[in-house]
């Protein structure tokens, strides 16, 4: 209650709020007797958000990447949702100590993942209050990598040189430090790009349409600090080719990369050439490496765990 002209403060205490990077909308309504209702909307922004990413399922487990930039501790549990994965247990304890800013939690699988599966995660604190929800998404493992068998990878793939590049080499082997996650296969691409604009394309023999309308391609890339430009290319039903990606390979070692496919931002050519995706689509190149400069470049990069995300 408040007297005319006076101020009144109300405090509403909550047990927990979600540690999401997305602001939480909160509507506040005030009902004044015989005067009607006034309402206002505000947003709650977490100062210590988590960023959770589902990494490609391996033969033995589902890896969940948790980035905790604030370094605040996390104590509770993580539970997986979805279909197409047989978990030994869908729930696992989650303990992130003070100051730890990134971790990968591995949920063991009772059998190999299906090529098509769905998954999401729910994180709760020690009292069972939800602090993070990652809604369920669908995943489609690229056929050449679905079996996680090196021989199957190479038999369905080939390289094509472009703009004066050398032929390159394909080999089913991981770098000396191993695959990005135990139990995964890796593909080595040797390259020699000696001229500006020279490119090497990774082609798949599977010309069937890509299922549905994928949001992104997720893949592990082992960078060599060469600053070469990596892309993917897909073509729509009109023959229009889209090229997406292109952030320089300026890191050394494994990194999980997302290349978005549902909102074209890169180059396009051929077909209707209108920048609009006319589904269904199919692969032009699973991976493209291009030299952006006149400096000669040669070396090797590795790929693993290509998966379409919906």
């Amino acid at each position: 209650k408040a007297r005319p002209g006076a101020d009144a403060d109300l405090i509403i205490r909550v047990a927990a709020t979600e540690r999401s990077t997305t602001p939480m909308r909160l509507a506040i309504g005030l009902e004044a007797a015989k005067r009607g209702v006034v309402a206002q909307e505000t947003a709650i922004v977490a100062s210590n958000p988590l960023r959770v990413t589902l990494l490609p399922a391996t033969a033995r487990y589902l890896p969940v990447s948790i980035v905790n930039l604030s370094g605040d501790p996390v104590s509770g549990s993580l539970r997986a949702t979805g279909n197409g994965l047989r978990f030994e247990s869908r729930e696992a304890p989650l303990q992130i100590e003070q100051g730890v800013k990134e971790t990968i939690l591995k949920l063991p699988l009772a059998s190999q993942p299906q090529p098509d599966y769905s998954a999401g995660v729910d994180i709760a604190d020690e009292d069972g209050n939800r602090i993070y929800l990652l809604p369920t998404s669908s995943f489609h493992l690229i056929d050449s990598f679905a079996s996680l068998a090196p021989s199957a990878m190479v038999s369905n793939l080939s390289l094509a040189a472009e703009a004066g590049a050398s032929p390159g080499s394909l080999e089913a082997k991981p770098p000396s430090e191993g695959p990005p996650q135990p139990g995964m296969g890796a593909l080595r691409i040797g390259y020699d790009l000696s001229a500006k604009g020279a490119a090497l394309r990774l082609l798949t023999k599977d010309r069937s349409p890509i299922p549905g309308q994928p949001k992104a391609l997720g893949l592990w890339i082992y960078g060599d600090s060469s600053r070469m430009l990596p892309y993917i290319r897909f073509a729509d039903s009109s023959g229009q080719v889209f090229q997406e990606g292109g952030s320089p390979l300026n890191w050394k070692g494994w990194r999980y990369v997302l290349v978005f496919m549902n909102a074209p931002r890169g180059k396009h050519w051929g077909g209707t050439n209108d920048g609009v995706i006319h589904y269904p689509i199919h692969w032009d190149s699973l991976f493209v490496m291009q030299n952006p400069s006149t400096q000669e470049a040669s070396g090797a990069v590795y790929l693993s765990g290509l998966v379409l995300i919906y």
Side-chain angles (χ1 to χ4, degrees):
K1 294 181 179 181
R3 296 177 60 82
D7 293 336
D9 294 329
L10 293 178
I11 298 176
I12 301 174
R13 300 192 181 278
V14 296
T17 57
E18 292 193 15
R19 291 177 60 173
S20 171
T21 55
T22 303
M24 184 169 64
R25 310 304 301 182
L26 179 65
I28 301 169
L30 171 65
E31 183 177 351
K34 301 180 182 181
R35 299 293 182 182
V37 178
V38 292
Q40 177 177 306
E41 188 179 78
T42 188
I44 297 176
V45 182
S47 61
N48 59 349
L50 303 175
R51 187 170 70 243
V52 179
T53 304
L54 291 179
L55 303 176
T58 75
R60 297 186 294 200
Y61 53 82
L62 176 68
V64 182
S65 168
I66 303 172
V67 176
N68 177 34
L69 291 180
S70 70
D72 286 355
V74 181
S75 184
S77 62
L78 180 146
R79 179 173 176 80
T81 59
N83 298 295
L85 297 173
R86 289 186 59 222
F87 293 96
E88 291 184 2
S89 174
R90 287 182 175 269
E91 190 167 336
L94 177 61
Q95 192 75 37
I96 303 178
E97 301 297 334
Q98 178 76 37
V100 176
K101 296 188 175 182
E102 188 169 2
T103 189
I104 293 179
L105 183 68
K106 300 172 183 178
L107 293 170
L109 299 177
S111 61
Q112 284 207 5
Q114 298 294 319
D116 292 281
Y117 63 90
S118 62
V121 296
D122 194 327
I123 298 177
D125 64 15
E126 292 176 303
D127 298 321
N129 300 305
R130 176 190 290 166
I131 58 172
Y132 194 93
L133 174 65
L134 182 66
T136 300
S137 295
S138 297
F139 300 82
H140 173 77
L141 291 167
I142 302 298
D143 289 347
S144 302
F145 293 80
S147 68
L148 306 176
S151 58
M153 285 186 196
V154 176
S155 63
N156 200 36
L157 301 171
S158 62
L159 289 175
E162 192 172 83
S166 297
S169 62
L170 274 183
E171 198 175 356
K173 63 176 292 188
S176 58
E177 66 188 62
Q181 297 292 323
M184 298 184 74
L187 183 72
R188 181 186 186 274
I189 302 177
Y191 65 90
D192 184 356
L193 306 176
S194 57
K196 183 176 183 179
L200 200 58
R201 299 166 56 205
L202 178 65
L203 309 180
T204 174
K205 295 177 184 177
D206 183 6
R207 303 300 294 171
S208 58
I210 295 172
Q213 300 181 13
K215 177 182 179 181
L217 174 74
L219 71 162
W220 285 99
I221 303 178
Y222 188 95
D224 59 355
S225 302
S226 63
R227 303 198 67 82
M228 296 294 101
L229 302 181
Y231 299 99
I232 64 170
R233 289 180 189 169
F234 58 91
D236 68 11
S237 59
S238 77
Q240 182 176 200
V241 177
F242 294 85
Q243 179 170 279
E244 300 295 330
S247 297
L249 293 173
N250 56 5
W251 70 88
K252 179 71 174 178
W254 287 111
R255 179 178 292 183
Y256 185 65
V257 176
L258 287 175
V259 183
F260 288 91
M261 302 173 63
N262 61 342
R265 300 174 179 86
K267 295 180 180 179
H268 58 84
W269 61 86
T272 57
N273 201 25
D274 57 3
V276 177
I277 303 173
H278 303 274
Y279 294 95
I281 60 177
H282 64 270
W283 288 113
D284 174 272
S285 308
L286 280 173
F287 187 74
V288 181
M289 274 190 60
Q290 186 177 51
N291 187 348
S293 69
T294 55
Q295 182 177 352
E296 292 190 13
S298 61
V301 297
Y302 298 81
L303 306 180
S304 185
L306 275 68
V307 61
L308 289 166
I309 304 168
Y310 295 81

